[in-house]
Amino acid sequence: MTRILLTGFESFGSATINPSEQLARRLATEDHSADEIELFTEILPVAARHAPAIIERRLIELQPDYCVMLGLAEDRSAISIERVAINLLDFRIPDNANDQPIDEPVVLAGPEAYFSTLPVRAMRDASATIGIPAELSLTAGAFVCNQVFYRVQHFCAVNALDIASGFIHLPATPEMAAQAPRPIPSMSLDAMVAGLRVMLGVVVREQREHVSF
């Protein structure tokens, strides 16, 4: 079985829902044994002072093969698979703990950036083959999404943990777009679930090939 930790975020800012939380909760109710996946989920607070410690603790407890982190990017029209986490906190709005760091490092004296260790291109291509728009992105922003992406990569590096990890940004849902004060792109939650399912399938195949090799 391939052990996967899948994380989402609670709602934040003006949004009353977060598709990353909805998607994680949806997949948590499904039986993934036929795909040889043991899936663990965690909903993180949108709080810089709390989220990294929660996910790092789960990595130690679960020792997963993969950690796939999800978040919301309301201006995206496709599922965005992030390639790079940068060592920067620069919040455009306060987080849910009312903190708003500006021009601060995620990790003092840490590397400037980390690359995703997921098979990002294969994941993008797999989603496209079933008609779900997906893209590779070079910016995860500088909010809590980028922070947990960077901290997980750093945590695995400094503790020599054999855990591949990366971050995926999701578009708004149609319900969110209908309530937005300005026009924004959207994607149905069903489409996002289908896209993520095939992406997780790519991750499982990669692990099997690695073990076979």
Side-chain angles (χ1 to χ4, degrees):
M1 298 288 280
T2 301
R3 296 168 64 87
I4 301 175
L5 172 61
L6 179 70
T7 71
F9 276 108
E10 65 185 2
S11 60
F12 67 98
S14 60
T16 57
I17 59 175
N18 192 323
S20 70
E21 177 179 7
Q22 293 178 307
L23 194 156
R25 292 194 186 283
R26 169 88 71 87
L27 290 179
T29 66
E30 298 180 356
D31 181 4
H32 303 277
S33 58
D35 299 315
E36 298 186 19
I37 294 175
E38 189 174 9
L39 186 71
F40 304 88
T41 60
E42 185 75 27
I43 307 304
L44 301 172
V46 182
R49 68 173 86 171
H50 301 305
I54 293 172
I55 194 168
E56 289 170 0
R57 183 176 68 248
R58 293 290 280 165
L59 292 175
I60 292 298
E61 290 173 352
L62 299 172
Q63 294 288 308
D65 301 295
Y66 295 89
C67 176
V68 180
M69 297 160 275
L70 306 175
L72 167 66
E74 289 183 329
D75 60 339
R76 310 285 179 94
S77 59
I79 299 175
S80 296
I81 306 167
E82 302 297 346
R83 304 189 75 171
V84 186
I86 60 174
N87 193 11
L88 176 66
L89 301 173
D90 192 25
F91 291 6
R92 60 179 177 80
I93 59 172
D95 66 13
N96 286 357
N98 206 35
D99 293 327
Q100 190 175 9
I102 303 294
D103 291 336
E104 296 181 12
V106 177
V107 175
L108 189 64
E112 292 181 356
Y114 283 102
F115 284 98
S116 172
T117 47
L118 297 178
V120 294
R121 192 171 298 276
M123 292 165 67
R124 188 274 313 271
D125 293 345
S127 186
T129 62
I130 63 166
I132 307 300
E135 63 184 1
L136 299 182
S137 169
L138 291 175
T139 175
F143 197 50
V144 185
C145 292
N146 174 75
Q147 181 199 26
V148 297
F149 183 14
Y150 184 97
R151 281 282 296 266
V152 166
Q153 300 293 101
H154 186 72
F155 187 74
C156 291
V158 299
N159 291 286
L161 297 177
D162 187 19
I163 302 172
S165 59
F167 198 97
I168 299 173
H169 267 123
L170 305 173
T173 62
E175 296 78 8
M176 297 172 68
Q179 298 173 9
R182 58 179 177 82
I184 59 173
S186 66
M187 182 182 292
S188 73
L189 187 66
D190 286 344
M192 293 188 232
V193 169
L196 192 65
R197 282 199 193 107
V198 299
M199 291 182 191
L200 295 182
V202 168
V203 163
V204 171
R205 287 196 298 274
E206 183 200 55
Q207 191 205 31
R208 287 176 184 165
E209 291 170 2
H210 175 71
V211 171
S212 298
F213 183 82

